[in-house]
Amino acid sequence: MIKREDIIDYIVETYTIYPEYIFEKFPNYCVFRHKRKKKWFGLIMTIPRNKLYGEEEIKIDVINLKIHPELNEIVRSKNGYYQAYHMNKKHWITIDLSAVKDLDQIAGLIDDSFKLT
């Protein structure tokens, strides 16, 4: 299981971009965006598990990342990868961080999201 801090550390070390906590109603949500263009390339949220799985309401951490539309369905065939929660479902995916064993599994997707935005 990967933790939100692992992703934050990776993005800070790789891109020198720090999380922004811009949602007053959701102080735990953090956005990652380009310094100059201010376009988002990632969003970490804590949401009820039932929003993805339709089950219990325990809280889980997820990340939304931009993806090539052609790869969306392929990537979503993996366990823990879903249509984007609260984002464009063609261009974004949501990943349940509790389903990811280590950062290497999603580092490439973070990098792709950075390049796509």
Side-chain angles (χ1 to χ4, degrees):
M1 178 170 130
I2 189 170
K3 296 189 183 319
R4 67 181 17 242
E5 293 79 16
D6 299 329
I7 293 172
I8 292 169
D9 290 346
Y10 175 78
I11 293 172
V12 169
E13 290 171 15
T14 306
Y15 300 106
T16 319
I17 293 176
Y18 293 86
E20 297 179 43
Y21 298 89
I22 61 174
F23 301 104
E24 189 174 317
K25 185 175 177 182
F26 302 103
N28 197 31
Y29 287 20
C30 61
V31 173
F32 296 94
R33 54 185 170 176
H34 292 271
K35 293 175 184 175
R36 195 168 45 103
K37 298 181 280 181
K38 299 296 184 194
K39 287 193 170 201
W40 295 18
F41 65 92
L43 169 64
I44 298 177
M45 302 174 284
T46 302
I47 64 172
R49 182 179 164 85
N50 66 358
K51 297 293 184 188
L52 298 179
Y53 297 98
E55 299 170 356
E56 58 206 292
E57 288 205 31
I58 62 170
K59 303 284 185 178
I60 59 170
D61 285 332
V62 299
I63 187 169
N64 281 1
L65 297 171
K66 191 159 191 177
I67 191 167
H68 282 287
E70 306 85 43
L71 298 177
N72 195 316
E73 193 170 326
I74 295 166
V75 171
R76 285 190 296 110
S77 67
K78 297 179 181 181
N79 182 41
Y81 295 69
Y82 297 90
Q83 283 187 343
Y85 176 74
H86 276 299
M87 301 286 265
N88 179 296
K89 304 205 181 319
K90 182 178 180 183
H91 297 276
W92 291 81
I93 57 169
T94 294
I95 304 168
D96 174 1
L97 299 184
S98 67
V100 178
K101 292 190 184 349
D102 60 56
L103 185 61
D104 291 340
Q105 288 183 275
I106 64 167
L109 293 173
I110 293 169
D111 297 338
D112 288 347
S113 186
F114 181 84
K115 292 172 191 168
L116 286 168
T117 51

